[in-house]
Amino acid sequence: MALGASGSNPDVGLLYDINGLAKDAPGWVDHTMAFIGEYGLLLALVLLTLWAWWGVRKRDTLDDAASSVASVVWAPLAAGIAVLVNVPIRGFVERPRPFVDHDGIDILVHGKSDFSFVSDHATLAMAIGAGLFVAHRKFGLIGIGLAVLEGFCRVFMGVHYPTDVVGGFALGTAVALLLSPLASALLTPVARAVGRTRRMGWLVWSPGAGAVPGAVGIPEARESEERDLAA
């Protein structure tokens, strides 16, 4: 199955408009955009996920922290699942990269020989952004903003059509949101169990200033440790 590649297609017109910006930009801008679009934004999303994890641990109760950490952990897992789902989609659609069917495309990253629809980078980025939005709106909005920038970069670089990016956004969002309840049901008990351990508990819970020993959700191990320190 092949998507339309006619020059009269608005998708192609938008491709030329966005990719045309690369032709008019200085060389250092093209190199910067190529690095950002290929590696930089994905790295930024990984760092954002770590930042979100570090922040959501600071809850007054273990139950709240476990639920929040489980949601953050789901974001990169959703991205991985979405990319796996994309494998048969790309094989079914078999859409060539835009530079294969169209002349005059400024290619900023060479060596792309696989199919174009849908964009793995856009899928990964939006899945993480949508997953983080479930965990924490502020981090989620930042993640979604980075995902949109990722999509723009992929078209700017000449390696994807705009609809490849839109398809990736839709796929990443669908996987992250539709499977979120199931992921929460599976991951939250695991996070809670880890949070109750002495050595690994910090991965899930770093009690906030409002936490009170003996309150609901504070692990017995932590209470025992505090009593030992007080003695």
Side-chain angles (χ1 to χ4, degrees), residues 154-173:
R154 302 306 289 177
V155 181
F156 183 92
M157 293 158 60
V159 295
H160 281 293
Y161 294 94
T163 47
D164 297 337
V165 170
V166 174
F169 288 167
L171 177 58
T173 300

Side-chain angles (χ1 to χ4, degrees), residues 49 69-85 123-124 127-128 131-132 172 175-176 179 182-184 186-188 190:
T49 302
V69 169
S71 295
V72 171
V73 170
W74 167 238
L77 292 179
I81 293 174
V83 169
L84 290 177
V85 172
T123 301
L124 279 167
I128 293 176
L132 289 179
V175 170
L179 297 182
L182 176 61
S184 179
L186 295 175
L187 294 174
T188 299
V190 175

Side-chain angles (χ1 to χ4, degrees), residues 189-209:
V190 175
R192 187 181 297 111
V194 172
R196 291 188 180 278
T197 64
R198 290 193 179 188
R199 293 186 177 181
M200 305 295 290
W202 65 273
L203 292 171
V204 174
W205 190 41
S206 177

Side-chain angles (χ1 to χ4, degrees), residues 108-165:
L108 302 187
V109 176
H110 296 273
K112 301 289 185 181
S113 58
D114 55 345
F115 294 121
S116 185
F117 185 90
V118 298
S119 167
D120 277 340
H121 279 71
T123 301
L124 279 167
M126 189 55 75
I128 293 176
L132 289 179
F133 187 82
V134 174
H136 193 289
R137 286 194 176 184
K138 180 184 76 173
F139 291 111
L141 289 174
I142 296 174
I144 291 171
L146 291 175
V148 172
L149 181 57
E150 177 68 65
F152 176 83
C153 287
R154 302 306 289 177
V155 181
F156 183 92
M157 293 158 60
V159 295
H160 281 293
Y161 294 94
T163 47
D164 297 337
V165 170

